[in-house]
Amino acid sequence: MLHIKNYINGELVELASKKYIDNIDPSRGKVYSYIPDSDEKDVELAITAAKVAFPAWSVTPKDVRSKYLLKIAALIERDLNKLALAESIDNGKPLKLAKTVDIPRAAANFHFYGTGILHYAAHTHSMEDTAINYTLRQPVGVAGCISPWNLPLYLFTWKIAPALAAGCTVVAKPSEVTPMTAYLLSELCIEAGLPRGVLNIVHGLGGKVGNAIVAHKEVPLISFTGGTKTGAHIASIAAPMFKKLSLELGGKNPNVIFADCDYDNMLHTTIHSSFQNQGQICLCGSRVFVEKSIYDKFKKDFVEQAKKLMVGAPLDDKTKVGAVVSKPHMEKVLNYVELAKQEGGTVLCGGKQANIGGEFSEGYYIEPTIIEGLSYNRRTNQEEIFGPVVTIMPFDTEEEVLMWANSTVYGLASTVWTQDLTKAHRMAQNIHAGIVWINCWLLRDLRTPFGGVKSSGVGREGGFEAFDFFTEPKNVCIKLK
Ligand code: NDP
């Protein structure tokens, strides 16, 4: 069985400790490869390599850095099928989704930042005839990048690509639950000839590898995507060390549906925004608020459509809902369904583990689940579930639904469905979230800032904001007389 290797100083390296963790295929519930159980010593090697590589990489001309990134993008595109298959097996997501969303987006991340850096400019400020100020933007140093399991290569590269383009060197840790595409990426970086130590990938547990990266004094910047609790822990270590921090955390996103919406488009998209990737996208709408006059119709249609979604093996083309990522995660999600029932909710469909039989009978499948009858302030409607489980609720007025939408500690994303332009803008202005999608979902222009408010995180990724994050501004003031 394959033993994944760390990528340190330009090479795939064996672990000194020879300790490995099981890598489980969630669609079968079986071990299919081994992940390095790296420790502080491996992190130290990676940080040393990144530190040594930094002076040369940080002054490598932008167009040269750009060429490396574009080469990696091209290699990802070349290996799309191989990477998609690896991601689907590692994560349990439908292969089709990995092929059409995750892997193309990983290539797009390298493309976008590889070209974007060529157009990134700093400011000058003239004080008329007294002085001129110009701002240098200099790469911060060794960047620590830590990513989650739900969109493994997509989110991993969303951090790595801007960091490398901006001139930082990187020590990165993918989620231990889904390491395979990060491992394949390290092979592609070697093939692309990326200079030694510029990118280092250390596999292993968050509490060990992640913690060691965050706590290391030679890593002045941490870009983290993951759960809010982990983010708070990271902030508690990084803040007293005055590290630059970007935290992309959890969500409990509202999907607000007004009676005047384009109904068919809304219904089709709401099925996706609720259940795509088994509901394991931080941007999925998990609280669906529907204007009372269309609630009964919506409920009937939504449940009917959700029941039609085929729960199946990730590699089957007909599968719409694959396996959730792990057994503990499946148990967590199903416990929330139990909580919803205890809170007085009614399960309209799903609510159980699905057994799809055969070689997949031990896999971690959950039927798409819709729950109604819970007030906005119940725990089910306040805490992140991160699975194929949504609640639906009828509302009377715009004021009421806004209050409900804004009632959680989170503020990552939101969706509003209406044909009334004024109402759409009013909602967008008043919803507490980093993104408001109007009559669409998951449409992303990579130039726009990305991130959440409240407990969904601090800092913004995306666009040139990412370059601002991975560089430090230095103002130079020249007196003219
Ligand atoms: P976790 O917070 O559990 O883990 C995220 C990453 O942090 C993993 O690589 C993990 O390693 C690592 N980690 C865990 N503990 C520590 C630690 N003490 N120090 C440093 N690193 C650590 O999140 P999940 O992987 O479970 O991902 C799901 C969460 O991510 C959800 O809450 C979701 O909303 C959020 N998310 C947010 C997004 C956004 O853009 N806002 C996008 C996607 C997901 P290991 O896997 O080994 O535990």
Side-chain angles (χ1 to χ4, degrees):
M1 240 185 263
L2 175 74
H3 284 68
I4 286 174
K5 293 190 176 86
N6 287 335
Y7 171 51
I8 298 177
N9 203 25
E11 289 172 8
L12 297 173
V13 294
E14 296 282 355
L15 268 191
S17 72
K18 302 263 188 279
K19 281 195 202 151
Y20 288 86
I21 308 160
D22 291 344
N23 189 19
I24 296 170
D25 165 359
S27 74
R28 292 179 173 80
K30 300 251 172 358
V31 177
Y32 86 105
S33 60
Y34 297 105
I35 313 155
D37 183 8
S38 311
D39 59 25
E40 291 76 7
K41 289 193 213 87
D42 304 293
V43 173
E44 191 64 45
L45 286 176
I47 292 174
T48 303
K51 206 182 153 211
V52 169
F54 179 70
W57 183 250
S58 62
V59 296
T60 297
K62 285 177 184 175
D63 60 329
V64 177
R65 294 203 299 260
S66 167
K67 280 186 186 133
Y68 283 115
L69 268 73
L70 296 182
K71 180 86 197 281
I72 296 168
L75 292 174
I76 294 174
E77 278 163 358
R78 183 197 69 189
D79 285 359
L80 185 136
N81 288 337
K82 180 180 170 188
L83 288 161
L85 183 63
E87 180 134 325
S88 174
I89 295 172
D90 228 19
N91 176 276
K93 69 177 61 197
L95 176 62
K96 218 171 171 178
L97 190 66
K99 261 189 199 168
T100 52
V101 176
D102 294 64
I103 307 304
R105 173 60 190 274
N109 289 338
F110 276 101
H111 255 295
F112 177 78
Y113 286 112
T115 51
I117 194 63
L118 301 175
H119 308 280
Y120 180 56
H123 299 286
T124 61
H125 296 92
S126 163
M127 299 168 77
E128 286 73 46
D129 59 353
T130 311
I132 299 171
N133 297 270
Y134 64 86
T135 307
L136 288 173
R137 301 253 20 157
Q138 296 172 312
V140 175
V142 178
C145 297
I146 301 174
S147 60
W149 47 257
N150 61 328
L151 303 167
L153 194 62
Y154 172 140
L155 290 173
F156 196 57
T157 54
W158 180 235
K159 300 177 175 310
I160 290 170
L164 296 181
C168 289
T169 54
V170 173
V171 175
K173 188 197 104 57
S175 169
E176 148 254 333
V177 188
T178 53
M180 194 57 83
T181 45
Y183 173 60
L184 296 175
L185 177 70
S186 45
E187 292 184 339
L188 297 183
C189 290
I190 293 171
E191 189 178 340
L194 193 67
R196 283 174 171 271
V198 165
L199 171 64
N200 304 273
I201 300 175
V202 187
H203 296 271
L205 298 170
K208 258 185 354 200
V209 173
N211 223 62
I213 295 172
V214 172
H216 203 288
K217 62 181 186 333
E218 300 288 357
V219 180
L221 173 154
I222 301 292
S223 171
F224 170 81
T225 300
T228 294
K229 220 169 137 196
T230 318
H233 172 73
I234 286 174
S236 74
I237 298 172
M241 298 173 83
F242 308 108
K243 298 192 178 209
K244 272 187 114 171
L245 261 186
S246 165
L247 300 172
E248 296 295 345
L249 309 176
K252 188 74 182 174
N253 308 313
N255 179 0
V256 180
I257 299 167
F258 287 98
D260 64 357
C261 66
D262 169 353
Y263 187 84
D264 292 343
N265 182 17
M266 174 281 295
L267 185 65
H268 176 79
T269 308
T270 297
I271 284 288
H272 285 290
S273 67
S274 304
F275 302 116
Q276 187 162 307
N277 204 37
Q278 299 69 250
Q280 303 166 134
I281 301 179
C282 53
L283 305 167
C284 277
S286 53
R287 297 176 294 149
V288 185
F289 302 121
V290 187
E291 196 164 359
K292 211 171 242 169
S293 58
I294 59 162
Y295 182 79
D296 288 339
K297 176 175 167 49
F298 172 82
K299 172 172 141 181
K300 179 173 159 293
D301 294 343
F302 189 46
V303 170
E304 199 177 290
Q305 295 284 320
K307 282 183 176 166
K308 279 191 196 151
L309 294 172
M310 182 175 134
V311 181
L315 305 193
D316 185 335
D317 251 8
K318 296 187 290 303
T319 293
K320 297 282 189 239
V321 177
V324 298
V325 78
S326 66
K327 192 166 185 214
H329 190 62
M330 176 177 74
E331 285 162 358
K332 178 194 144 183
V333 173
L334 291 174
N335 281 339
Y336 267 108
V337 177
E338 285 313 306
L339 173 73
K341 288 186 206 159
Q342 284 161 23
E343 290 187 320
T346 305
V347 176
L348 299 175
C349 63
K352 304 188 295 296
Q353 182 176 2
N355 187 342
I356 66 164
E359 59 179 308
F360 303 102
S361 57
E362 311 267 299
Y364 316 132
Y365 299 89
I366 300 177
E367 295 171 355
T369 301
I370 301 172
I371 299 167
E372 76 164 352
L374 289 172
S375 153
Y376 75 93
N377 55 3
R378 293 304 205 159
R379 274 183 61 202
T380 310
N381 276 326
Q382 293 286 313
E383 298 174 16
E384 186 182 45
I385 300 175
F386 215 54
V389 177
V390 294
T391 58
I392 59 172
M393 271 156 283
F395 69 86
D396 279 311
T397 64
E398 195 180 315
E399 292 69 33
E400 178 180 58
V401 78
L402 251 178
M403 192 274 277
W404 294 356
N406 291 338
S407 67
T408 75
V409 296
Y410 297 107
L412 186 55
S414 56
T415 309
V416 176
W417 291 94
T418 176
Q419 298 285 73
D420 177 338
L421 190 64
T422 316
K423 187 159 60 186
H425 285 300
R426 206 165 47 232
M427 288 295 290
Q429 177 144 320
N430 292 321
I431 286 187
H432 303 156
I435 307 169
V436 183
W437 276 296
I438 296 172
N439 301 329
C440 59
W441 177 72
L442 209 63
L443 200 53
R444 288 277 298 123
D445 181 329
L446 300 189
R447 291 169 299 181
T448 58
F450 177 85
V453 298
K454 304 197 282 184
S455 296
S456 290
V458 288
R460 284 293 177 276
E461 298 186 348
F464 284 2
E465 264 91 349
F467 295 140
D468 288 347
F469 177 62
F470 287 108
T471 57
E472 209 72 86
K474 181 192 285 174
N475 189 57
V476 180
C477 178
I478 311 162
K479 197 158 186 295
L480 293 177
K481 288 182 199 152

